[in-house]
Amino acid sequence: MLTSLLDTDLYKFTMMQVVLHQFPGAQVEYRFRCRTEAVDLLVIEAPFRAALTQLCALRFNEDELSYLRNLRYIKPDFVDFLRLFQLNEGYVEIDTRHGLDIRIRGPWLHTILFEVPLLAIINELYFKALGTVPDLSIARQRLNDKIELIRSHSDVAHFVFSDFGTRRRFSGAWQQEVVHTLKHELPQQLSGTSNVLIAKTLGISAIGTMAHEYLQAFQALGPRLADSQRAAFEAWAKEYRGDLGIALSDVVGMDAFLRDFDLYFCKLFDGVRHDSGDPVEWGEKMLTHYREHRIDAHAKTLVFSDGLTVPKALALHDIFIGRAKPVFGIGTNLTCDVGAIPINIVIKMVSCNGQPVAKLSDSPGKTMCDDPLYLAYLKQVFSAHPPMSSFAAHGRR
């Protein structure tokens, strides 16, 4: 189902490079979850195992390595490492006693590339198992409707968006067709795609910086739990020296993020990304934060990427254009709007170096953690909720 290890999102490579250079010995665990109720994924067990085996047989070829080498923020030794790289099936555990339970355990450096292709495989196999054969003429009309909606917008010249749809796409072929169509129909509005293979194939920009797992890992890797976000941002700046300057804001809640994102980071990073909670409230808080630190927000980028549709992105554009530089990452609504009902599936890091890690989402239902005691402690440390009883005995910093 996948023929290239480039068929993934750019931020997996940018994070992986940091891991190679700064945390090559880190051990992690990821866990799969289907957030959509009443979905039986056991029907895809056999083809999923076969697709996993095929994925783990892939290697980077010289043409792919040459493409990565020409990205200015990718360093030569990382490309040399990728020349030897191969995913190992032994790091993936599949348990079917209570549904399709997938866990990935092993070195962070050697497991980080599993998430996106496995989610894409599960999504495509699920629709095949349902016998879903969409009428692509209808799907193409839906895409054309989105294109016309953008074209007819009063401020179309300043509307900028990217494809973020790899993980929950209907199929790889459909994602490529969607992005190819957008490139030709909206060349000024489409800034790129998160999918590295499609970016390479179509000659457009690959888009991405960091994901939740990066900041989550620092809950175990950082000097203190309370300082984990700041440590993560420092490590990123050390690696990229001004490139890839979008910070992710919702790993321990927006308020905790703003406390850590001080004047230094406001100046150091080009902007921030929203991925949970009310987007308007988030944007207003971010603009207020910049204003309080005497930062001209007109030069800062606000990336919106949480469950966007084209109409929602256009509405957010109207609210924030002229006050900052709003851009949009649209995923499922572009790459899985074919008539089938998308499923909400994720693979999240749940531990690093033997310690639990978690995301405290600003959206109900997105928080994921295997250790409720640690989750309560994390909330206390970052004041995500009213103070709870002390968990000093839990042994965390």
Side-chain angles (χ1 to χ4, degrees):
M1 296 183 64
L2 277 76
T3 59
S4 170
L5 288 175
L6 285 188
D7 193 0
T8 190
D9 288 337
L10 178 67
Y11 64 22
K12 302 305 289 192
F13 292 114
T14 56
M15 293 186 295
M16 188 181 186
Q17 181 168 271
V18 177
V19 177
L20 174 67
H21 291 152
Q22 301 185 42
F23 307 101
Q27 298 285 319
V28 300
E29 179 180 348
Y30 301 87
R31 187 173 181 184
F32 168 78
R33 174 179 292 174
C34 178
R35 293 172 175 160
T36 306
E37 296 182 359
V39 172
D40 180 12
L41 292 176
L42 287 179
V43 296
I44 69 166
E45 179 197 353
F48 174 75
R49 290 181 184 273
L52 173 62
T53 299
Q54 293 169 358
L55 175 67
C56 292
L58 296 176
R59 301 285 293 272
F60 290 98
N61 62 42
E62 288 303 317
D63 184 51
E64 294 167 339
L65 294 170
S66 178
Y67 172 81
L68 291 172
R69 189 180 296 110
N70 287 326
L71 300 176
R72 71 179 189 181
Y73 43 81
I74 297 297
K75 299 177 181 178
D77 67 316
F78 180 48
V79 177
D80 290 338
F81 173 78
L82 291 178
R83 178 175 283 107
L84 304 174
F85 182 80
Q86 189 169 5
L87 288 167
N88 189 327
E89 192 172 350
Y91 294 133
V92 181
E93 302 173 14
I94 303 171
D95 187 340
T96 59
R97 290 174 295 177
H98 305 288
L100 188 65
D101 183 13
I102 302 169
R103 291 180 182 264
I104 304 165
R105 293 187 177 99
W108 195 12
L109 186 61
H110 294 276
T111 57
I112 192 170
L113 291 187
F114 270 117
E115 177 198 0
V116 175
L118 289 188
L119 290 173
I121 287 169
I122 290 169
N123 217 48
E124 189 163 348
L125 287 175
Y126 172 71
F127 289 122
K128 286 184 177 181
L130 288 181
T132 304
V133 182
D135 184 340
L136 287 184
S137 64
I138 296 177
R140 292 181 182 115
Q141 184 57 54
R142 291 184 179 189
L143 179 60
N144 288 334
D145 290 344
K146 295 180 178 71
I147 291 169
E148 289 306 316
L149 185 60
I150 293 171
R151 282 177 173 163
S152 64
H153 190 264
S154 59
D155 192 32
V156 61
H158 297 105
F159 181 70
V160 178
F161 74 103
S162 299
D163 157 54
F164 276 18
T166 303
R167 296 181 303 156
R168 295 172 189 158
R169 66 194 185 190
F170 180 78
S171 71
W174 178 242
Q175 183 185 16
Q176 175 133 341
E177 180 175 338
V178 167
V179 181
H180 180 270
T181 301
L182 293 171
K183 174 190 174 182
H184 286 278
E185 298 295 330
L186 296 169
Q188 302 304 315
Q189 289 71 40
L190 183 72
S191 61
T193 174
S194 63
N195 188 289
V196 183
L197 180 63
I198 294 176
K200 174 181 178 295
T201 302
L202 299 182
I204 61 177
S205 296
I207 305 292
T209 56
M210 66 183 73
H212 298 99
E213 68 174 282
Y214 174 75
L215 287 106
Q216 285 178 241
F218 275 82
Q219 294 169 19
L221 298 171
R224 291 193 316 158
L225 181 58
D227 297 328
S228 58
Q229 284 193 117
R230 290 187 289 269
F233 295 142
E234 290 279 10
W236 194 265
K238 176 182 177 182
E239 184 70 28
Y240 290 111
R241 311 292 297 177
D243 265 323
L244 305 174
I246 301 296
L248 183 59
S249 66
D250 73 327
V251 173
V252 288
M254 184 60 174
D255 291 340
F257 168 81
L258 292 177
R259 288 195 295 272
D260 287 341
F261 204 68
D262 58 12
L263 177 63
Y264 171 71
F265 290 125
C266 282
K267 290 186 174 183
L268 189 63
F269 281 83
D270 298 324
V272 291
R273 178 162 75 92
H274 167 267
D275 200 49
S276 66
D278 183 271
V280 176
E281 180 182 349
W282 175 88
E284 295 296 348
K285 282 186 175 182
M286 200 65 235
L287 292 179
T288 298
H289 188 71
Y290 279 135
R291 186 165 55 252
E292 289 173 346
H293 286 81
R294 299 181 181 180
I295 299 291
D296 182 6
H298 291 88
K300 295 298 182 180
T301 300
L302 303 182
V303 182
F304 295 88
S305 62
D306 180 29
L308 290 183
T309 63
V310 169
K312 186 174 180 179
L314 290 170
L316 289 168
H317 168 86
D318 291 345
I319 293 171
F320 293 105
I321 194 65
R323 305 165 69 194
K325 295 162 58 178
V327 300
F328 305 92
I330 306 177
T332 309
N333 186 245
L334 287 179
T335 62
C336 204
D337 187 13
V338 296
I341 299 176
I343 53 174
N344 188 344
I345 53 176
V346 295
I347 292 176
K348 294 293 185 184
M349 183 183 290
V350 294
S351 74
C352 178
N353 285 348
Q355 298 187 63
V357 299
K359 171 190 171 185
L360 296 176
S361 178
D362 288 319
S363 292
K366 280 193 171 184
T367 297
M368 187 168 174
C369 182
D370 281 353
D371 187 330
L373 187 61
Y374 171 68
L375 187 62
Y377 177 63
L378 186 65
K379 290 177 180 179
Q380 183 188 40
V381 168
F382 286 100
S383 301
H385 295 281
M388 304 176 70
S389 58
S390 173
F391 289 93
H394 191 52
R396 292 304 303 267
R397 301 183 291 281

